[in-house]
Amino acid sequence: VIPGWFSEISPMWPGEAHSLKIEKILFQGKSDYQDVMVFQSSTYGKVLVLDGVIQITQRDECAYQEMITHLPLCSIPNPKKVLVIGGGDGGVLREVARHTSVEQIDICEIDSMVIDVSKQFFPEIAVGFEDPRVNLTVGDGVAFLKAVPEATYDAVIVDSSDPIGPAQELFEKPFFESVAKALRPGGVVCTQAESIWLHMHIIEDIVANCRQVFKGSVNYAWTTVPTYPSGVIGFMLCSTEGPAVDFKHPINPIDSDENLSKSNQPLRYYNTEIHYAAFCLPSFAKKVIDSK
Ligand code: AAT
């Protein structure tokens, strides 16, 4: 460990640790679920860290939040009811709110400290909570979904931390089964699905489970996020049986300058070309994912 630097050390990426220079530690706390830290970095703005793992930096959060939201929502016509699991910083809410067809945005985040810290240190992200369509539940996403009546949502976005800690069950088959039940026919889910460079074994399991549970389409997409381990992160996109969804050919484009929502910020990362590109996989990943 280099003094004055944050290094992201975890058994989930053994033998490597991305580091950022710390200008100042702004917050350190322990919630009921995890260690929470915020620091000012010298090159990526403020950084939110949970249990030693980077969740957000101001400089590159757009890549993750815009992609995990617009990949599913631009793939279906007229999304109206959307559920977010995790995402307590509010960034996914900010992005969902750009879609004018959306009438209801429910969110279930397990850790109220994440929400409070985001409102204090990341107002341009927590602005997502200010949209009047948002209903917040603080609780476990697994329990929340079990209680959702069948066929409630057009889209579910699972913005979850890594499968060590409170998010573990969000990567397991019973959870995917309750997501499928909560979706209307032809509804879509997009879940955080780790890195093709580090976690092909995890991705293999997710794909195999999703192919069993979701009877529509099942696709893997990815994006760059320089401060996430290995610099990339992926998403599992699935649809339920019903009206066909072709994730690779988006039919509900979003206009960067018109769909500003409360944040008043234009899109910084997502566009239609990058939506198409997100589904192109390197051969080693394609081979494994297609064989499942
Ligand atoms: N949008 C920022 C990126 C995240 S945040 C993941 C959120 O999931 C955290 O706020 C965490 O508290 C919440 N969470 C974890 N488990 C649960 C659960 N069981 N129910 C509800 N919310 C939960 C993800 C960053 C990915 C990092 C990649 N290395």
Side-chain angles (χ1 to χ4, degrees), residues 226-247:
T227 59
Y228 281 171
S230 83
V232 301
I233 197 157
F235 309 102
M236 202 68 227
L237 286 128
C238 310
S239 67
T240 54
E241 197 168 18
V245 177
D246 182 358
F247 289 111

Side-chain angles (χ1 to χ4, degrees), residues 8 13 34 50 53-56 64-65 85-89 91-92 108-111 114 139-142 159-162 166-168 170 192 194 228-229 233:
E8 191 184 45
W13 37 92
Q34 50 209 347
L50 299 178
V53 178
I54 294 176
Q55 309 290 307
I56 274 184
Y64 176 80
Q65 327 255 37
I85 299 292
D89 51 87
V92 171
C108 179
E109 159 65 49
I110 203 166
D111 195 341
V114 174
D140 182 4
V142 176
D159 175 16
S160 99
S161 28
D162 298 318
Q168 190 183 332
L170 303 180
Q192 192 271 87
E194 301 298 349
Y228 281 171
I233 197 157

Side-chain angles (χ1 to χ4, degrees), residues 97-100 254-261 264-267:
R98 292 184 194 272
H99 289 262
T100 48
I254 184 165
D255 185 307
S256 177
D257 297 321
E258 276 176 26
N259 301 67
L260 292 175
S261 80
N264 223 21
Q265 305 160 21
L267 290 167

